Amino acid sequence: MNRRSVGITVAVITIVSLPIAASRVYQALKTARLVTLLEKNSRLALKQLEQEDELEALRTATQTAQELKFTTSSQQQYPTVKPIASLNQILAALHLQNPLQYNIN
């Protein structure tokens, strides 16, 4: 095999590989943006809980967890579990508050 054949082979492999690599980079970027948005919204939900806006915190956490569910296929692992953890934390906090309210009344 001469140099020219090797050069052409390398060029063909590179040209064929570029769309595959670009697709993977695009998918990784898309996933990173999704994770950033979901984690931001999860932090917002916890902040709303701290500010005693329980209903809004629950709504935000629920929407964020649903978005995670609907944007991740059943064959993939979740790219982040922060929305689920935030929702669980809010539900636990609300569960702890409700028995106290019933005992006071």
Side-chain angles (χ1 to χ4, degrees):
M1 201 179 234
N2 61 26
R3 277 190 160 171
R4 185 170 184 208
S5 296
V6 171
I8 291 172
T9 303
V10 169
V12 168
I13 291 172
T14 302
I15 290 170
V16 170
S17 300
L18 279 176
I20 296 168
S23 175
R24 288 183 182 164
V25 168
Y26 174 76
Q27 189 61 37
L29 182 60
K30 187 176 168 184
T31 300
R33 285 181 181 155
L34 174 65
V35 168
T36 301
L37 177 66
L38 293 173
E39 289 184 354
K40 177 184 168 193
N41 289 342
S42 297
R43 287 190 302 275
L44 172 64
L46 292 175
K47 187 172 185 172
Q48 290 167 334
L49 181 66
E50 289 173 7
Q51 296 171 344
E52 298 182 7
D53 192 357
E54 292 90 359
L55 186 58
E56 193 62 24
L58 184 58
R59 186 187 67 76
T60 301
T62 302
Q63 284 179 340
T64 304
Q66 285 178 339
E67 190 173 341
L68 172 66
K69 178 183 175 184
F70 292 129
T71 57
T72 307
S73 75
S74 61
Q75 293 128 0
Q76 292 177 308
Q77 286 186 320
Y78 287 144
T80 179
V81 293
K82 184 76 173 164
I84 299 166
S86 297
L87 180 58
N88 284 337
Q89 188 175 344
I90 290 167
L91 289 172
L94 294 177
H95 178 70
L96 290 175
Q97 290 174 3
N98 284 337
L100 293 176
Q101 289 174 355
Y102 290 124
N103 288 334
I104 292 172
N105 294 331

